[in-house]
Amino acid sequence: MRIWKHAALAGAALMIAIGSAAAQDVKIGFIVKQPEEPWFQDEWKFAQQAAKEKGFTLVEIGAQDGEKVQSAIDNLGAQGAQGFIICTPDVKLGPGIAAKAAANDLKLMTVDDRLVDNEGKPIESVPHMGISATKIGETVGQAIADEIKSRGWDMSQVGMIKVSYDQLPTAVDRVEGATSVLQKAGFPADHIFNAPQAKTDTEAALNAATTVINAHPDIKHWVAVGLNDEAVLGAVRATESVGIPPENVIGVGIGGADSAINEFKKPNPTGFFGTVIISPKRHGYETALDMYDWIANGKEPDKLTLTSGQLATRADYQKVRQDLGLQ
Ligand code: FCA
């Protein structure tokens, strides 16, 4: 009897030991396409918070192109990681990323930008957390329409810098959402000027927007939309560089990280009127936690989670951030 009891106790102790060793042994990669962008820094920050709380290791990796993604995944495999979360530099790398993950026996989840297959369709088998792109775009469009009205501009005299990045479906949905609402509000279709950016950063947007502005010197009032704050900031910088005063410009971005907040903190208003704040906490903390649960407890994440956004302007951003638990 006594022997059995001891054996049972030893068994229980062993199970506890295995249980507590598990969290320490879990290693999760968090790969992002643009590590210098404040949004991604925030995602990492919140993912690290999850790692700290649960006791696993989170490896931050920046991968700006396909080659870097491939070697990042191989590295994670060699390091004994069990899974990773990725915002890919190119959604078309989808099938390659899924194959590499499988070859390295790594669980795979995507954030922000959803992988597509060879036909351009979303790879639905990979769990994904993204933003409700169309709806958030519509919020941008409505904010601009309202501000055009309150400034008393004649809608037919306004030009739109549509900073676009069409190889990324979420970018298309965001910008389409914004333009559709504006058009419904009476914005003339022939005043929507496409400014395709080569990369999703401020400099690329500035270059694209400059071309548009220079081509239309007759336009006095400008509005600007784009995939994120960086895109809209690029367009706003372009208006400044040709001497268009800020009161003639309404740009509304998407993001709400430091790029936008620093703009609101400037002593004088710029053409960057507002941003739709999205949640780096949900995208960083929750995805890291989901991946941990999958590895440690076998609980597979939901296949698709779409998060919402909240408009903030220079006038109310502090309150909105507070309400969202961001400060
Ligand atoms: C994309 C954009 C980022 C951010 C994210 C939610 O990855 O490039 O700036 O908006 O979606």
Side-chain angles (χ1 to χ4, degrees):
M1 265 310 267
R2 278 189 73 181
I3 293 170
W4 284 116
K5 201 171 152 197
H6 278 145
L9 279 177
L14 189 69
M15 279 181 64
I16 291 166
I18 289 170
S20 59
Q24 290 162 25
D25 292 346
V26 172
K27 193 180 260 190
I28 296 171
F30 203 116
I31 306 175
V32 305
K33 63 178 180 181
Q34 261 168 295
E36 76 288 355
E37 192 183 307
W39 165 261
F40 295 110
Q41 307 251 333
D42 284 350
E43 273 186 347
W44 273 345
K45 183 180 85 187
F46 287 115
Q48 287 294 0
Q49 190 180 316
K52 207 168 158 208
E53 277 175 29
K54 293 287 175 187
F56 62 87
T57 304
L58 185 104
V59 187
E60 299 171 3
I61 307 170
Q64 294 89 338
D65 58 42
E67 247 172 68
K68 292 209 175 101
V69 170
Q70 300 265 345
S71 62
I73 301 172
D74 283 338
N75 261 325
L76 285 168
Q79 283 183 50
Q82 296 91 347
F84 67 97
I85 298 142
I86 184 169
C87 177
T88 176
D90 179 355
V91 293
K92 290 201 194 75
L93 296 170
I97 291 173
K100 263 268 176 242
N104 281 284
D105 201 14
L106 291 163
K107 292 188 166 38
L108 163 64
M109 192 176 170
T110 54
V111 70
D112 304 336
D113 300 351
R114 200 174 188 194
L115 303 177
V116 300
D117 63 18
N118 293 329
E119 271 118 54
K121 294 207 192 76
I123 302 184
E124 288 174 355
S125 57
V126 176
H128 175 71
M129 181 182 284
I131 67 167
S132 327
T134 305
K135 204 158 168 272
I136 286 171
E138 287 167 358
T139 306
V140 169
Q142 193 56 54
I144 293 176
D146 293 347
E147 185 60 15
I148 288 176
K149 210 169 169 193
S150 83
R151 291 191 193 183
W153 295 356
D154 175 354
M155 189 84 88
S156 67
Q157 308 284 309
V158 186
M160 183 197 295
I161 305 166
K162 179 180 151 196
V163 181
S164 64
Y165 191 72
D166 287 349
Q167 54 268 60
L168 181 58
T170 184
V172 176
D173 293 346
R174 296 176 198 189
V175 168
E176 286 304 316
T179 49
S180 71
V181 165
L182 275 158
Q183 278 187 268
K184 265 184 226 139
F187 201 95
D190 61 350
H191 274 196
I192 297 176
F193 305 116
N194 195 24
Q197 57 180 164
K199 272 179 68 186
T200 56
D201 62 13
T202 302
E203 196 192 337
L206 189 154
N207 293 336
T210 302
T211 308
V212 162
I213 297 166
N214 286 341
H216 301 280
D218 44 313
I219 297 230
K220 186 177 167 204
H221 293 124
W222 285 102
V223 300
V225 302
L227 145 88
N228 54 17
D229 289 332
E230 284 69 19
V232 173
L233 282 167
V236 169
R237 295 289 94 88
T239 60
E240 289 164 357
S241 73
V242 296
I244 298 171
E247 58 273 19
N248 287 4
V249 179
I250 305 168
V252 176
I254 294 171
D258 274 354
S259 344
I261 302 308
N262 291 339
E263 194 72 8
F264 295 147
K265 283 184 182 157
K266 289 182 176 172
N268 297 313
T270 70
F272 190 82
F273 175 73
T275 183
V276 179
I277 299 184
I278 52 179
S279 175
K281 171 140 194 203
R282 293 206 61 192
H283 287 228
Y285 180 87
E286 262 181 54
T287 53
L289 218 53
D290 285 351
M291 179 53 81
Y292 174 75
D293 247 358
W294 195 4
I295 293 164
N297 307 318
K299 186 177 171 280
E300 230 189 283
D302 289 342
K303 287 285 187 249
L304 183 63
T305 307
L306 297 178
T307 61
S308 60
Q310 179 79 41
L311 177 70
T313 65
R314 187 182 171 88
D316 66 6
Y317 77 94
Q318 274 156 322
K319 186 180 179 305
V320 176
R321 276 170 62 81
Q322 214 162 20
D323 291 350
L324 293 173
L326 287 170
Q327 59 183 184

